[in-house]
Amino acid sequence: MPIPTTNATQELPAVNQILASVGQAPVTTLDQTNPDVAIAYDTLTQVSKEVQAEGWTFNQEFEIDQAVDSNKEIEIPNNVLQIDLSDSYAGDKDVVRRTKPGETKQKLYDRYNHTYTIGDTTADTFKVDITYFYDWVDLPIPIQDYIVARAAAIVSTRIVGDGAQHQYLSTREMLARANAM
């Protein structure tokens, strides 16, 4: 059964590139019952998250106004990989992501003051630095190419285990990274 993804038509060529890199035939759907497709797709999504978490010019924003809620807490949007208070707002705070007990949404937690309350009585917003996670279709082409090359090298190890093939794909990955940079 095909997996439901928001970008299946755009991700399918990437999965097929990964499969071709390890000598597998292309597929017409992202069918999770095919183990090779499942490995290729899972690796693609994991590598995409890892690469984007590095923080690139396309997905990092600095000094963004982030609103505090009525409890003076900052809720973290789902598409955020990393978030921190901007240097000008950090002061005596050392924040990390945490899920408040009994809730499902992640919020900033101040480890220095041991509280989810980030705001003070006057501030409605704080400046934060954010690294966003973008869907496949919103990634720049050189980043997509790098992600595919890196995923192909990983899938080669998982499916084939051929050292020479892995070396070739690793070299391709390094070239794609250099191009992305």
Side-chain angles (χ1 to χ4, degrees):
M1 119 177 141
I3 60 168
T5 66
T6 56
N7 300 311
T9 57
Q10 283 77 24
E11 292 167 335
L12 182 60
V15 169
N16 279 330
Q17 286 178 31
I18 294 167
L19 292 172
S21 294
V22 296
Q24 298 296 316
V27 295
T28 57
T29 63
L30 296 177
D31 182 357
Q32 289 292 333
T33 60
N34 180 328
D36 292 343
V37 172
I39 290 169
Y41 181 74
D42 289 346
T43 305
L44 177 72
T45 56
Q46 182 59 39
V47 168
S48 180
K49 194 172 282 186
E50 290 170 4
V51 167
Q52 291 187 60
E54 290 180 40
W56 298 76
T57 56
F58 74 90
N59 74 332
Q60 282 189 313
E61 298 278 343
F62 302 98
E63 299 278 329
I64 298 292
D65 285 326
Q66 187 71 36
V68 294
D69 63 18
S70 60
N71 296 323
K72 299 295 182 186
E73 298 173 346
I74 296 177
E75 190 173 289
I76 302 173
N78 291 334
N79 66 332
V80 170
L81 292 169
Q82 296 180 45
I83 185 171
D84 200 1
L85 291 175
S86 298
D87 288 341
S88 59
Y89 278 75
D92 66 346
K93 295 171 178 53
D94 179 19
V95 297
V96 294
R97 300 169 75 124
R98 287 214 179 138
T99 304
K100 196 172 183 179
E103 296 186 13
T104 58
K105 293 293 252 175
Q106 286 194 326
K107 295 183 177 187
L108 284 184
Y109 176 79
D110 181 356
R111 295 187 309 171
Y112 182 77
N113 295 299
H114 312 288
T115 182
Y116 287 92
T117 303
I118 303 300
D120 58 30
T121 56
T122 59
D124 291 330
T125 63
F126 274 83
K127 298 279 187 192
V128 294
D129 301 332
I130 295 177
T131 302
Y132 290 100
F133 177 76
Y134 288 117
D135 284 335
W136 184 255
V137 295
D138 297 322
L139 297 176
I141 298 299
I143 297 295
Q144 287 182 355
D145 292 344
Y146 170 48
I147 291 168
V148 168
R150 185 168 170 183
I154 293 169
V155 168
S156 169
T157 301
R158 291 179 177 167
I159 293 178
V160 182
D162 179 352
Q165 180 187 58
H166 179 73
Q167 182 62 39
Y168 167 75
L169 292 172
S170 293
T171 301
R172 198 173 103 193
E173 173 190 345
M174 288 187 301
L175 291 171
R177 181 175 176 84
N179 188 40
M181 295 178 103

